[in-house]
Amino acid sequence: MMRFDPFRELEELQERLARAFGATPQQGPRVYAPPVDVMEDEAGLHVLVYLPGVDPEKVEVVAEEGSLSVKAERPFEKRENVAYHRLEGPYGTFARSFNVPSTFDLSRVQARFRHGVLHLLVPRAEATKPKRIQVQVE
């Protein structure tokens, strides 16, 4: 199943028209939004950001004041003497932010990067975890 992106079709049409009239397609950084999964379980909030081909050192995660932000870049490395006919890979920069409820502790965010997927775990705040109450017997 493919995600529908109405702007992708407009960009492709613009590039075809530019080539038809002898202009070069848009150069420079493009902005894209990678797919994201957000799930919640007893451990906390899980945010999975799909970043195939992105260097983990080019990923920045910032947690502050009720929001979690992810920024990354996947630069396009143009090679000489190569004729590009179609480029559909996600190149460029992106930034996404997510509002995080106060029931989660942003000061303890954990981040892992494996096989092109950034996995962020935002643990539950201690005050919101269920506590077992010991019943006193008299």
Side-chain angles (χ1 to χ4, degrees), residues 16 19 23 47 53 62 75 88 90 138:
R16 283 193 305 244
R19 279 193 296 271
V47 179
V62 177
E88 292 186 0
E138 296 179 12

Side-chain angles (χ1 to χ4, degrees), residues 77-125:
E77 298 168 7
K78 188 172 181 175
R79 299 184 341 209
E80 291 186 32
N81 301 322
V82 175
Y84 295 95
H85 296 286
R86 188 167 188 89
L87 294 171
E88 292 186 0
Y91 297 102
T93 58
F94 85 90
R96 295 205 51 186
S97 292
F98 307 93
N99 291 328
V100 178
S102 61
T103 55
F104 299 97
D105 188 352
L106 283 170
S107 68
R108 300 184 325 163
V109 174
Q110 300 170 18
R112 292 188 336 256
F113 196 92
R114 184 171 181 228
H115 300 300
V117 179
L118 174 65
H119 181 184
L120 303 170
L121 170 62
V122 185
R124 290 188 180 282

Side-chain angles (χ1 to χ4, degrees), residues 133-138:
I133 308 299
Q134 182 69 34
V135 177
Q136 300 291 325
V137 178
E138 296 179 12

